[in-house]
Every structure is written in C-alpha cells, then in structure tokens.
Amino acid sequence: MVKNKTIIAFETKSGVSKENAELIASVLNKKFGLEVDITNLKENKNPDITNYDNIIVGSGIRMDRWYRRPKSFLSKNNFSNKKLAIYLSSGKAGNPEFQHDQIVEDYIGKILKKRPHLKPIAYNAFGGCYMQGGKTIENFRDPEKVIQWAEQLGKLLLE
Ligand SMILES: Cc1cc2nc3c(=O)[nH]c(=O)nc-3n(C[C@H](O)[C@H](O)[C@H](O)COP(=O)(O)O)c2cc1C
C-alpha cells in the first residue's frame, strides 16, 4: 500500500464542498507531497477505502442537516487503522452573527457523539454560500480558513 494515500469524499449542492475538497487536496499535495484522490459521493456512493490511509469527508448543510450521502458513508465504514477528518460547508459557519464553535458543536460534535466509532483527528466547518436560481445571494466563503486548516491537517497526516 502506498503510504499516506488520501481520499476526499464529498457531496455538494451549491458547489462549496467541492471547492473546499479541491483546496484541501491542493495543499496536501503541493505542500505535503501527499497523493490525494477526490470523489463525489453522488457519483460514487460508497467508495472503496481499502487502499487509503487517510479519509476526509465533506458535506454541505441545509435545514440544519448534513447531506445524505456523506452521513451514510460515515455510518457504513468504521475507518479503523485510518486517519479520518471531516469538514462541513455551512452558511452559519461563516456568518459572524453565529458563534463558530457552537456551530461546529451543533453540526459535527453531536453527530460524533451518536457515532462513537468515529474518531476524527480533525474536523471543522467553513462558511458556504446561499445560491438561488444560479445566483449567489449571500457568500460566507473564506478559502484562507480552509487552506489554514488543510495545513494543520497535513502535519497531522504526516505524524
Ligand atoms: C435551502 C437552503 C437551506 C440552508 N440551510 C442552512 C442551514 O440550516 N444552516 C446553515 O448553516 N446553512 C444553511 N444553508 C447554506 C448552505 O450551508 C450553503 O449553501 C453551503 O454552501 C452548502 O454547501 P454546498 O455548497 O457544498 O452545497 C442553506 C442553504 C440553502 C440553499
């Protein structure tokens, strides 16, 4: 098995989780020399993770809920002997009217408590954008925050 092979599996509806997957992959590859594959769970519902050391799962949030496929992917696999990381794209996570730590707890902490087999080495929620009819209504994206997180994650994946 190639050491430190990484897969990022995401689902997106407005495109931000895909953009974030690409940003994270770029940092892990260019800065840390990791081989990274990206897969869209809408096209590939339960990717085979046997040959991967590191699994990064990304979802958007709508109506305070994760998208269906990333949640099901987390439930179907136990990730033993693998490093797991999770990121979300959410309007509230980037909106200064909400407390970021509380959003992370509400959207990720609670999911993890219900699934004690999941022990991610890192997780975070990043600002998303609200789209309507193909137009951006509100944009809370902050690619710099995603890049910073990917840099911290890269160090953890090399440990
Ligand atoms: C119908 C709808 C409902 C949404 N509900 C929430 C929500 O409950 N909480 C939140 O933080 N963001 C919410 N958002 C914002 C999304 O999280 C944002 O669009 C994000 O970019 C979604 O990820 P994606 O771009 O990967 O699909 C909502 C957006 C839409 C269009």
Side-chain angles (χ1 to χ4, degrees), residues 11-18 59-65 67 89-93 103 107 127-131:
E11 183 177 355
T12 190
K13 289 181 180 166
S14 305
V16 179
S17 299
K18 179 170 191 273
S59 177
I61 293 282
R62 283 193 178 182
M63 306 305 199
D64 287 327
R65 299 172 71 164
Y67 296 160
S89 313
S90 118
K92 289 183 190 170
I103 296 301
Y107 287 158
C129 67
Y130 290 86
M131 310 275 292

Coordinates of all heavy atoms in Angstrom, one line a residue, residues 11-18 59-65 67 89-93 103 107 127-131, ligand 1:
E11 N -20.1 15.5 -0.8 CA -21.3 15.8 -1.5 C -21.6 17.3 -1.5 O -21.4 17.9 -0.4 CB -22.6 15.0 -1.0 CG -23.8 15.3 -1.8 CD -25.0 14.5 -1.4 OE1 -25.0 13.7 -0.5 OE2 -26.1 14.8 -2.0
T12 N -22.0 17.9 -2.6 CA -22.3 19.3 -2.6 C -23.6 19.6 -3.3 O -24.0 18.8 -4.2 CB -21.1 20.0 -3.3 OG1 -21.3 21.4 -3.2 CG2 -21.0 19.7 -4.8
K13 N -24.3 20.7 -3.0 CA -25.4 21.1 -3.8 C -25.2 22.5 -4.4 O -25.6 22.8 -5.5 CB -26.7 21.1 -2.9 CG -27.1 19.7 -2.6 CD -28.4 19.6 -1.8 CE -28.7 18.1 -1.5 NZ -29.7 18.0 -0.4
S14 N -24.4 23.3 -3.7 CA -24.2 24.7 -4.2 C -22.7 24.8 -4.6 O -22.3 25.9 -5.0 CB -24.5 25.7 -3.1 OG -25.8 25.6 -2.7
G15 N -21.9 23.8 -4.5 CA -20.6 23.8 -5.1 C -19.4 24.0 -4.1 O -18.3 23.8 -4.4
V16 N -19.8 24.5 -2.9 CA -18.7 24.9 -1.9 C -17.9 23.7 -1.4 O -16.7 23.8 -1.3 CB -19.2 25.8 -0.8 CG1 -18.1 26.2 0.2 CG2 -19.9 27.0 -1.4
S17 N -18.6 22.6 -1.1 CA -17.9 21.5 -0.6 C -16.9 20.9 -1.6 O -15.9 20.3 -1.3 CB -18.8 20.4 -0.1 OG -19.6 20.9 0.9
K18 N -17.2 21.0 -2.9 CA -16.3 20.6 -4.0 C -15.1 21.5 -4.0 O -14.0 21.1 -4.1 CB -17.1 20.6 -5.3 CG -16.2 20.2 -6.5 CD -17.1 20.0 -7.7 CE -16.3 19.3 -8.8 NZ -15.6 20.2 -9.7
S59 N -19.3 17.6 3.6 CA -20.7 17.7 3.4 C -21.1 19.2 3.5 O -20.5 20.0 4.2 CB -21.5 16.9 4.4 OG -22.9 17.1 4.2
G60 N -22.2 19.5 2.7 CA -22.9 20.8 3.0 C -23.9 20.6 4.0 O -24.3 19.5 4.4
I61 N -24.5 21.7 4.4 CA -25.6 21.7 5.4 C -26.8 22.5 4.8 O -26.6 23.6 4.3 CB -25.2 22.4 6.7 CG1 -24.1 21.7 7.5 CG2 -26.4 22.7 7.7 CD1 -24.5 20.5 8.3
R62 N -27.9 21.8 4.9 CA -29.2 22.5 4.6 C -30.2 22.2 5.6 O -30.3 21.0 6.0 CB -29.7 22.2 3.2 CG -28.9 22.9 2.1 CD -29.6 22.7 0.8 NE -28.8 23.5 -0.2 CZ -29.2 23.6 -1.5 NH1 -30.3 23.0 -1.9 NH2 -28.4 24.3 -2.4
M63 N -31.0 23.1 6.1 CA -32.0 22.9 7.1 C -31.4 22.2 8.3 O -32.0 21.3 8.9 CB -33.2 22.0 6.6 CG -33.8 22.6 5.3 SD -34.3 24.3 5.5 CE -35.5 24.5 4.2
D64 N -30.2 22.7 8.7 CA -29.5 22.2 9.9 C -29.2 20.7 9.7 O -28.9 20.0 10.7 CB -30.3 22.4 11.2 CG -30.3 23.8 11.6 OD1 -29.3 24.5 11.3 OD2 -31.4 24.3 12.1
R65 N -29.2 20.2 8.5 CA -28.8 18.8 8.4 C -27.7 18.6 7.4 O -27.6 19.3 6.4 CB -30.1 18.0 7.9 CG -31.2 18.1 8.9 CD -32.5 17.5 8.3 NE -32.3 16.0 8.3 CZ -33.3 15.2 8.1 NH1 -34.6 15.7 8.0 NH2 -33.2 13.9 8.0
Y67 N -25.9 16.6 4.3 CA -26.4 15.9 3.1 C -26.3 14.4 3.4 O -25.6 13.9 4.2 CB -25.5 16.2 1.9 CG -25.6 17.7 1.5 CD1 -24.6 18.3 0.7 CD2 -26.6 18.5 1.9 CE1 -24.7 19.6 0.3 CE2 -26.7 19.9 1.5 CZ -25.7 20.4 0.7 OH -25.8 21.7 0.4
S89 N -19.5 22.6 4.9 CA -19.7 23.9 4.3 C -21.1 24.3 4.8 O -22.1 23.6 4.5 CB -19.7 23.8 2.8 OG -18.5 23.0 2.4
S90 N -21.2 25.4 5.5 CA -22.4 25.8 6.1 C -22.5 27.4 6.1 O -21.5 28.0 6.4 CB -22.6 25.3 7.5 OG -22.7 26.3 8.5
G91 N -23.7 27.9 5.8 CA -23.9 29.3 5.8 C -23.6 29.9 7.2 O -22.8 30.9 7.3
K92 N -24.1 29.2 8.2 CA -23.9 29.8 9.6 C -22.4 29.7 10.0 O -22.0 30.6 10.8 CB -24.7 29.0 10.6 CG -26.2 29.2 10.5 CD -27.0 28.4 11.5 CE -28.5 28.4 11.3 NZ -29.2 27.5 12.2
A93 N -21.7 28.7 9.5 CA -20.3 28.6 10.0 C -19.5 29.8 9.6 O -18.4 30.1 10.2 CB -19.7 27.3 9.4
I103 N -21.5 26.3 16.3 CA -22.0 25.7 15.0 C -21.2 24.4 14.8 O -21.8 23.4 14.4 CB -21.7 26.7 13.8 CG1 -22.6 28.0 14.0 CG2 -22.0 26.1 12.5 CD1 -24.1 27.7 14.1
Y107 N -23.3 21.0 14.5 CA -23.3 20.2 13.3 C -22.3 19.0 13.2 O -22.6 18.1 12.4 CB -23.0 21.2 12.1 CG -24.1 22.2 11.8 CD1 -23.8 23.4 11.1 CD2 -25.4 21.9 12.1 CE1 -24.8 24.2 10.8 CE2 -26.4 22.8 11.8 CZ -26.1 24.0 11.1 OH -27.1 24.9 10.8
G127 N -17.5 28.5 6.1 CA -18.6 29.3 5.5 C -18.9 28.8 4.1 O -18.0 28.6 3.3
G128 N -20.2 28.8 3.8 CA -20.7 28.4 2.5 C -21.3 29.6 1.8 O -21.1 30.8 2.2
C129 N -22.1 29.4 0.8 CA -22.8 30.5 0.1 C -24.2 30.1 -0.2 O -24.5 28.9 -0.4 CB -22.1 31.0 -1.1 SG -22.0 29.8 -2.4
Y130 N -25.1 31.0 -0.1 CA -26.5 30.8 -0.5 C -26.8 31.1 -1.9 O -26.5 32.3 -2.3 CB -27.4 31.6 0.4 CG -27.4 31.2 1.9 CD1 -26.5 31.7 2.8 CD2 -28.4 30.3 2.4 CE1 -26.5 31.3 4.1 CE2 -28.4 29.9 3.7 CZ -27.5 30.4 4.6 OH -27.5 30.1 5.9
M131 N -27.2 30.1 -2.7 CA -27.5 30.4 -4.1 C -29.0 30.3 -4.4 O -29.7 29.6 -3.7 CB -26.8 29.2 -4.9 CG -25.4 29.0 -4.6 SD -24.3 30.0 -5.5 CE -24.5 29.5 -7.2
Ligands
LIG1 C1 -32.3 25.8 1.1 C2 -31.1 26.0 1.9 C3 -31.1 25.8 3.3 C4 -29.9 26.0 4.0 N1 -29.9 25.8 5.4 C5 -28.8 26.0 6.1 C6 -28.8 25.8 7.5 O1 -29.7 25.3 8.1 N2 -27.6 26.1 8.2 C7 -26.5 26.6 7.6 O2 -25.5 26.8 8.2 N3 -26.5 26.8 6.2 C8 -27.6 26.6 5.5 N4 -27.6 26.8 4.2 C9 -26.4 27.3 3.5 C10 -25.6 26.1 3.0 O3 -24.9 25.5 4.1 C11 -24.6 26.6 1.9 O4 -25.3 26.8 0.7 C12 -23.4 25.7 1.7 O5 -22.6 26.3 0.7 C13 -23.8 24.3 1.3 O6 -22.7 23.5 0.9 P1 -22.5 23.1 -0.6 O7 -22.2 24.4 -1.3 O8 -21.4 22.2 -0.6 O9 -23.8 22.5 -1.1 C14 -28.8 26.6 3.4 C15 -28.8 26.8 2.0 C16 -29.9 26.6 1.3 C17 -29.9 26.9 -0.2

